[in-house]
Amino acid sequence: MRVLSHPATFLYVELFAASCCARPCTVLRGAGGALRTQTRAAAAITCADGGCHQTQDQQVQLAAAAMVNAQRANLCRGLSLGLLPALEALARAAARGQPTVEQLVAGGLTPPPPVFAILAGLTHWEMIEHVLLAAPLQQVVPFVVSASKLGRRLVVVMTRPIKHGSKAHRKAALLALRATSAQVPPLEFLMCLGEASDDGSSCGGGDGTDLFGGAGRCADSSAPAAAQQWRAQQPGARKREQRAELVSLLLASWLPGGTSQAILAMGQALQSRGGEPADICTDTSTAVLEWVPVLVLAHLLALERGDTKAVTEWKAFIVVDLNIIGLLTCSYRPGDLREHEERAVACAALAVSAAFPDVMRGQEGQRLRANLKRQLPQPVCQWLARVWEAGEAGAGACVEVLVGLRRSAGHWEEPVGAPVKWDVPPPDDVALLPTPAEVRRRLGLCASGDCVEVVGDSEADVRLTVVCRGCRQARYCSERCASKHRETYSRRGFTAC
């Protein structure tokens, strides 16, 4: 609890906010030099020829340019001073000193305890997007993992069922859910892969290779020598590869967390009979479901390449880590779903049903079918019924859906005769994504997505001492993580390696 009351806590949060998208006055104070330069340039344009001929739109554009440059200068200065490692250390200290529900309730929830502000600041996507793109990968990787661990630990503890839970306990659970409600990156973030180039945009420098080093860590030494030589000769390609690893790491760390949060929020919504927990449940599940067709497309592209390892790992991530059945089940809103929510559920249900027909045939799948028939419009239900058919008719419908998904990738208009409008990025961008399991191996992270080990001030301090007895490639920080990973996968009919 000491870290949550230390003055440095609020200093880090203020510095983080000033570096990202904080109040304009904070940004302007932090980067006065850049602002003065822009002001002089604006004055030279405004008073050219002895008069002021600026329109209001031009003034707004100049002011916006000044703000962007000031914000960028402030961000780069913060990163050069070690902002991201300091924030990571803060997140891990907050996770280690995490209070119980009873302690929070006893201390009072008005105003909310600082741990919720820390969690919201470190996982709110709009605040951290620019930081993740500007910082060197060797700082971004441990920060992303540590922030996801803090969110997972806090939400699970705060939403744990308590016998004779009071109104204060429900408020603590709502505060935790609210703090992590904006952590799922939007689908548009994948577009940054096409824009990545070796332009030196990273404020911190570094190429992100050999991220942690030391015993128990491994670089991507499995790549052939020809591939490594090609990377060295193609700096722009290496930049895109690093961006792809970052996107895949975010998916591996935060999408499963979003699923867990949505399911826990549904439990709170059932207790409180709707209200804000129901909104958080639907909003979070919708944000995760928008990624599902992209993940299915990545699975299809791996199938086209003949990469059987990636095919298996993408399917395992969607079915097990993302818990797609539970995610689709908790996508509800009292009354009717909004249009974009309905589209996200329909696209995800069609893509998963067509790519993995076996997933929908179990007991859970049968219950999900009944729920989807009540939620979705009649045309989509008719397509789902065709996909769910047994025999050649169902197989033909599955192929038709997947071919439509493949052809629609990168084309944002709705194809004629398609069951839904597929909002899927171009295949070239999706094909760059390594599987979440692969990116964990490359970056030297614990192979278990449920790992919550927070020893030390950085993820680099976590030693991977347990090697998978099957593949001899996956590494874990403890035998507990390894056994839990194996059990979770075996329950769904998969192997963890």
Side-chain angles (χ1 to χ4, degrees):
M1 291 294 290
R2 191 178 301 121
V3 68
L4 303 182
S5 59
H6 194 278
T9 296
F10 301 98
L11 175 62
Y12 287 144
V13 172
E14 280 296 317
L15 179 58
F16 180 56
S19 300
C20 304
C21 53
R23 301 175 296 276
C25 59
T26 307
V27 177
L28 296 181
R29 280 200 306 270
L35 180 61
R36 283 193 294 273
T37 302
Q38 281 293 325
T39 304
R40 287 195 295 269
I45 296 174
T46 303
C47 300
D49 300 326
C52 293
H53 305 291
Q54 263 187 324
T55 65
Q56 185 175 4
D57 289 343
Q58 290 173 327
Q59 293 174 2
V60 170
Q61 291 174 2
L62 286 171
M67 290 295 296
V68 168
N69 284 344
Q71 180 179 344
R72 184 176 302 166
N74 208 31
L75 172 59
C76 290
R77 178 168 174 78
L79 291 174
S80 68
L81 293 174
L83 171 64
L84 216 52
L87 289 172
E88 185 198 0
L90 172 63
R92 298 178 78 86
R96 289 193 299 271
Q98 176 181 309
T100 64
V101 183
E102 291 79 5
Q103 289 173 330
L104 284 177
V105 170
L109 298 175
T110 305
V115 65
F116 296 110
I118 295 172
L119 180 58
L122 298 182
T123 60
H124 195 289
W125 177 250
E126 291 182 358
M127 293 186 67
I128 65 172
E129 176 183 6
H130 300 298
V131 176
L132 298 183
L133 290 177
L137 192 64
Q138 62 264 34
Q139 293 183 9
V140 171
V141 169
F143 169 79
V144 168
V145 176
S146 297
S148 67
K149 287 182 178 181
L150 171 62
R152 192 181 306 120
R153 289 168 64 113
L154 186 63
V155 171
V156 169
V157 170
M158 293 298 109
T159 57
R160 184 173 297 159
I162 299 176
K163 191 175 181 180
H164 308 302
S166 64
K167 185 177 179 180
H169 290 91
R170 290 194 295 272
K171 183 177 179 181
L174 179 59
L175 287 173
L177 292 171
R178 191 185 295 162
T180 56
S181 61
Q183 68 174 344
V184 178
L187 193 57
E188 290 77 10
F189 186 64
L190 189 55
M191 303 305 176
C192 74
L193 296 183
E195 302 169 0
S197 60
D198 191 36
D199 56 0
S201 59
S202 173
C203 295
D207 62 358
T209 56
D210 193 18
L211 293 179
F212 298 128
R217 300 283 176 180
C218 58
D220 188 18
S221 57
S222 60
Q228 294 180 359
Q229 182 180 2
W230 177 81
R231 288 175 188 170
Q233 296 172 353
Q234 303 287 337
R238 179 54 187 155
K239 186 74 172 181
R240 295 186 72 195
E241 187 178 291
Q242 289 179 358
R243 288 282 180 90
E245 290 175 354
L246 171 58
V247 174
S248 185
L249 176 64
L250 288 168
L251 300 183
S253 301
W254 287 352
L255 286 194
T259 298
S260 301
Q261 182 201 13
I263 294 174
L264 293 170
M266 183 175 67
Q268 295 294 317
L270 294 175
Q271 292 181 13
S272 59
R273 299 180 181 180
E276 189 175 353
D279 293 336
I280 292 176
C281 171
T282 305
D283 293 343
T284 305
S285 60
T286 300
V288 179
L289 285 173
E290 287 177 346
W291 281 95
V292 171
V294 179
L295 305 180
V296 172
L297 178 59
H299 169 84
L300 294 178
L301 295 174
L303 200 59
E304 291 178 6
R305 298 192 304 268
D307 189 348
T308 55
K309 183 178 180 181
V311 168
T312 304
E313 289 180 348
W314 277 121
K315 181 178 180 180
F317 179 71
I318 296 170
V319 176
V320 183
D321 295 323
L322 220 56
N323 188 7
I324 189 62
I325 297 293
L327 182 63
L328 285 168
T329 301
C330 69
S331 301
Y332 82 103
R333 183 182 294 277
D336 295 327
L337 292 172
R338 301 189 183 108
E339 183 180 354
H340 74 282
E341 297 166 349
E342 187 178 90
R343 185 172 65 248
V345 174
C347 290
L350 271 171
V352 171
S353 299
F356 318 123
D358 55 308
V359 173
M360 307 297 290
R361 290 176 185 153
Q363 247 183 358
E364 292 180 336
Q366 294 291 341
R367 287 196 296 268
L368 177 60
R369 288 189 192 189
N371 290 337
L372 293 174
K373 289 178 181 178
R374 289 194 296 267
Q375 290 183 53
L376 299 176
Q378 188 64 25
V380 177
C381 289
Q382 291 174 355
W383 269 95
L384 284 172
R386 289 181 55 193
V387 170
W388 294 334
E389 284 183 23
E392 293 183 1
C398 290
V399 171
E400 192 173 349
V401 170
L402 295 178
V403 169
L405 171 61
R406 178 67 173 84
R407 289 178 177 173
S408 300
H411 303 286
W412 305 110
E413 66 275 5
E414 185 171 1
V416 178
V420 291
K421 178 183 177 182
W422 300 104
D423 290 335
V424 181
D428 290 343
D429 289 344
V430 179
L432 287 172
L433 293 176
T435 65
E438 174 64 23
V439 82
R440 285 183 176 277
R441 288 192 293 269
R442 286 187 194 178
L443 301 179
L445 300 171
C446 181
S448 174
D450 293 327
C451 176
V452 291
E453 180 60 60
V454 288
V455 63
D457 290 337
S458 175
E459 186 66 19
D461 297 332
V462 179
R463 300 289 93 188
L464 306 182
T465 57
V466 179
V467 181
C468 176
R469 294 189 292 269
C471 64
R472 308 299 297 178
Q473 292 183 4
R475 293 172 176 267
Y476 301 88
C477 64
S478 65
E479 186 60 43
R480 181 182 61 181
C481 271
S483 61
K484 185 177 181 181
H485 197 212
R486 288 193 296 266
E487 291 171 6
T488 302
Y489 269 58
S490 62
R491 283 199 303 267
R492 298 286 182 140
F494 292 86
T495 57
C497 64

